[in-house]
Amino acid sequence: MLELSQQPQGIDMSETTQNSPATDVADEGRRNLLKMAGVSAAALTAVSFGAPLRAQTAEWDKTFPQSDAVEHSKVEFTNRYGITLVGDLYMPAERPEGPMPALAIAGPFGAVKEQAAGLYAQTMAERGFVTLAFDPSYVGESGGQPRSVASPDINTEDFMAAIDFLGLHDSVDREKLGIIGICGFGGMALNAVAADKRVKAVATTSMYDMSRVMAKGYYDSLTDEQRAAGLEAMSRQRWEDAQSETPALAGGLPDSLDGIDDPVIRMYHAYYKDPERGYHARSVNSNDGWTVTTPLSFMNMPLLTYIDEISPRPMLVIAGSEAHSRYFSEDAVAAAAEPKELMIIDGADHVDLYDQVDIIPFDKLEAFFSQNLA
């Protein structure tokens, strides 16, 4: 993924032998991809295009402790493109008779459902919602080939497919459906709700507009020349990938932070590489990286073109005051129509809203969805 920010120091991810302006930009883009989402992905093999990648164990394998107040089960559903998605369904252990409000949850970009999305889902289930945390296409236990690919269209569709599933569940009131998107899947969530009128309310935390950052770089600083050079390099990479059994990967977070001062790299590393916090064996960001050509469709297809069409349904956008990504949330709220709300968490950085339960405003999320899914 391509953006124009200071190249992190001390990371050697060079994967090419030819030196050219396009290659140099591509290499820098691979390094800077770390800043966009913390990068990585296990290049596993599925049985077929739509087949899910099965977990290696039936035991609890989340990055957070299991709650006794919630019932958990693994589910599968299929998106409009025929890709089988795998999710974790969370339901309150004690629940009222009759159908309940429900939430579809995904993110961060490059994470799996066993990380932040699952934490959000379990916590919101404790607060009275049926929740579905799911792996997007090509990631985690969900199907799709090749692995470690993202798409502004298909990942938007993944949210809509989750709404399909929830709306058909016996315990769910299909007229009371909401979405939570975290990090890059915050942008996908807003994109999905703009089109999917079944969703009654949407919230995001640490939202990224992945198409904007890939197309224009951080703070829209990518020049036209750099954009063209990056597209040239990725276009030619397609020939390399077509001749190989698997596409080239962009490379992941470094195992060591020795010599690395970049605060964004250090922030992502503290979550994704720490087994006591956010590391997961199936997480894209914890391991080997997105495919090198993943940015192509994002650079050509803006996600939030129709964000104003979320209205008149309410939108809650949450960001940390210290987050490098804060401007995405601010600009999204500015472009949206009412009703909308921007909530800034004082002192929080981007990753704090992944797993710091004393910082994530779950009371606010509960109140927002209780009111708007009533």
Side-chain angles (χ1 to χ4, degrees):
M1 300 176 189
L2 193 64
E3 55 96 359
L4 181 60
S5 62
Q6 182 63 36
Q7 178 177 311
Q9 300 299 310
I11 308 175
D12 182 7
M13 293 185 188
S14 177
E15 299 176 12
T16 62
T17 57
Q18 297 181 9
N19 293 319
S20 68
T23 301
D24 291 341
V25 171
D27 287 343
E28 182 171 351
R30 295 169 197 173
R31 296 182 179 94
N32 289 332
L33 171 58
L34 297 171
K35 283 189 173 182
M36 294 182 187
V39 179
S40 215
L44 304 175
T45 302
V47 176
S48 67
F49 176 78
L53 299 180
R54 303 294 180 178
Q56 299 301 307
T57 176
E59 298 178 357
W60 184 260
D61 63 348
K62 321 305 180 192
T63 59
F64 50 90
Q66 188 169 13
S67 171
D68 294 334
V70 174
E71 294 178 359
H72 162 265
S73 60
K74 188 155 290 187
V75 299
E76 296 180 5
F77 53 99
T78 304
N79 71 13
R80 188 166 58 91
Y81 297 110
I83 301 172
T84 301
L85 305 181
V86 178
D88 287 316
L89 187 69
Y90 296 86
M91 301 180 69
E94 296 183 7
R95 49 188 179 267
E97 294 184 5
M100 303 171 61
L103 303 171
I105 305 173
F109 188 77
V112 287
K113 63 188 180 303
E114 290 78 14
Q115 296 171 308
L119 173 63
Y120 275 66
Q122 180 174 261
T123 304
M124 295 304 288
E126 290 177 327
R127 293 165 179 256
F129 300 86
V130 176
T131 59
L132 174 63
F134 64 91
D135 286 331
S137 297
Y138 311 108
V139 169
E141 293 183 291
S142 288
Q145 286 285 356
R147 307 306 296 166
S148 308
V149 173
S151 161
D153 180 30
I154 296 174
N155 294 149
T156 294
E157 159 61 23
D158 290 340
F159 266 118
M160 296 183 183
I163 294 299
D164 293 344
F165 174 85
L166 288 171
L168 295 174
H169 197 282
D170 291 341
S171 296
V172 171
D173 184 340
R174 66 167 56 179
E175 300 305 320
K176 299 180 178 181
L177 299 175
I179 281 178
I180 297 176
I182 307 166
C183 182
F185 274 81
M188 255 77 83
L190 297 177
N191 200 45
V193 177
D196 194 333
K197 304 307 182 182
R198 299 172 298 176
V199 182
K200 297 302 189 290
V202 58
T204 69
T205 58
S206 293
M207 194 274 288
Y208 254 73
D209 180 344
M210 297 307 303
S211 57
R212 177 179 175 184
V213 75
M214 291 189 204
K216 299 181 179 180
Y218 275 101
Y219 306 104
D220 303 334
S221 58
L222 199 68
T223 67
D224 291 343
E225 292 75 16
Q226 289 168 323
R227 172 183 167 86
L231 288 170
E232 172 77 18
M234 285 184 285
S235 298
R236 292 186 174 277
Q237 180 65 44
R238 292 180 62 107
W239 277 322
E240 300 296 325
D241 291 349
Q243 289 182 316
S244 304
E245 293 184 0
T246 57
L249 298 178
L253 289 162
D255 291 330
S256 171
L257 290 175
D258 291 346
I260 298 175
D261 297 323
D262 189 292
V264 178
I265 301 298
R266 298 185 72 89
M267 177 196 67
Y268 282 127
H269 189 281
Y271 178 76
Y272 285 111
K273 299 299 266 189
D274 185 351
E276 299 300 319
R277 189 177 177 191
Y279 176 83
H280 197 278
R282 290 191 295 273
S283 169
V284 173
N285 296 350
S286 291
N287 297 285
D288 299 326
W290 293 102
T291 61
V292 172
T293 58
T294 286
L296 281 170
S297 58
F298 284 92
M299 292 176 73
N300 203 38
M301 300 177 186
L303 276 167
L304 301 184
T305 301
Y306 299 104
I307 190 172
D308 61 320
E309 294 184 11
I310 293 174
S311 177
R313 295 160 298 159
M315 180 178 85
L316 171 64
V317 176
I318 302 167
S321 66
E322 308 309 305
H324 68 287
S325 56
R326 175 176 171 174
Y327 74 100
F328 291 122
S329 293
E330 293 172 334
D331 289 355
V333 171
E338 296 287 353
K340 58 186 178 179
E341 181 179 356
L342 175 64
M343 182 180 188
I344 301 297
I345 307 301
D346 189 44
D349 69 21
H350 180 87
V351 171
D352 285 337
L353 297 179
Y354 288 5
D355 68 335
Q356 301 301 296
V357 295
D358 57 334
I359 294 177
I360 301 168
F362 283 118
D363 288 345
K364 177 67 173 181
L365 287 166
E366 178 184 357
F368 173 76
F369 284 111
S370 294
Q371 176 182 348
N372 294 301
L373 302 185

